[in-house]
Amino acid sequence: FESGARAIAIDVPLLTVQPQVVIEGPGLWARVDLADLRWGLVLECDGYEFHSGPDRFARDRRRYTGLARLDWVVFAYVWQDVFQAAEQTTAELSDWVARQAALFPADRYPGGRPGFWSRTHRVPNDIQCGPGIASGSAPVPDHRRSTA
């Protein structure tokens, strides 16, 4: 379902997302589903299977709060948002990006929306395909933790 969200993002002018971006800051380590590094925007795909139950639900809320503390903006979507309401989801993202582009025009802000978020991310050299399995390389240890 992340692929569906990425397909939606492709249709949004000025939005360029990258998968599996790592975001680190005080009390937070997160590998997010999709992130736009110009706007400081995170798209999370919250499937019921991996995000249900009181502990997982609470962990996700703490994680999103931790991202917000680092100036990231989080749009959290469920399967229905991507596959049954794609037009609405596209409109939400388009409206937000257009507002950011108006507030922070490229001629004055070539790096996009300013904020602390811009110093908190890194793009992995590989894309993790599954727990401990990296694309085209040796297994990568899974050090996921969120203490926010």
Side-chain angles (χ1 to χ4, degrees), residues 118-143:
S118 64
R119 298 185 301 268
T120 63
H121 68 273
R122 64 184 169 86
V123 178
N125 292 332
D126 59 351
I127 302 300
Q128 189 154 340
C129 302
I133 302 171
S135 172
S137 67
V140 173
D142 189 357
H143 297 292

Side-chain angles (χ1 to χ4, degrees), residues 75-132:
F75 280 57
Y77 290 112
V78 296
W79 187 91
Q80 290 85 347
D81 296 326
V82 172
F83 295 107
Q84 294 177 342
E87 287 182 19
Q88 175 65 33
T89 300
T90 303
E92 291 168 358
L93 290 168
S94 296
D95 290 348
W96 186 85
V97 171
R99 196 166 41 259
Q100 300 312 301
L103 289 169
F104 307 107
D107 61 334
R108 292 185 52 212
Y109 300 92
R113 183 175 69 88
F116 182 74
W117 70 269
S118 64
R119 298 185 301 268
T120 63
H121 68 273
R122 64 184 169 86
V123 178
N125 292 332
D126 59 351
I127 302 300
Q128 189 154 340
C129 302

Side-chain angles (χ1 to χ4, degrees), residues 34-120:
L34 300 166
D36 184 292
L37 305 180
R38 178 176 182 203
W39 301 116
L41 176 66
V42 168
L43 303 182
E44 284 288 273
C45 300
D46 291 348
Y48 185 78
E49 181 180 354
F50 296 106
H51 299 272
S52 64
D55 292 338
R56 289 179 177 177
F57 183 82
R59 182 194 65 215
D60 286 344
R61 302 297 74 74
R62 286 190 298 271
R63 181 177 169 194
Y64 297 159
T65 299
L67 290 165
R69 288 179 62 211
L70 299 176
D71 291 337
W72 286 88
V73 173
V74 178
F75 280 57
Y77 290 112
V78 296
W79 187 91
Q80 290 85 347
D81 296 326
V82 172
F83 295 107
Q84 294 177 342
E87 287 182 19
Q88 175 65 33
T89 300
T90 303
E92 291 168 358
L93 290 168
S94 296
D95 290 348
W96 186 85
V97 171
R99 196 166 41 259
Q100 300 312 301
L103 289 169
F104 307 107
D107 61 334
R108 292 185 52 212
Y109 300 92
R113 183 175 69 88
F116 182 74
W117 70 269
S118 64
R119 298 185 301 268
T120 63

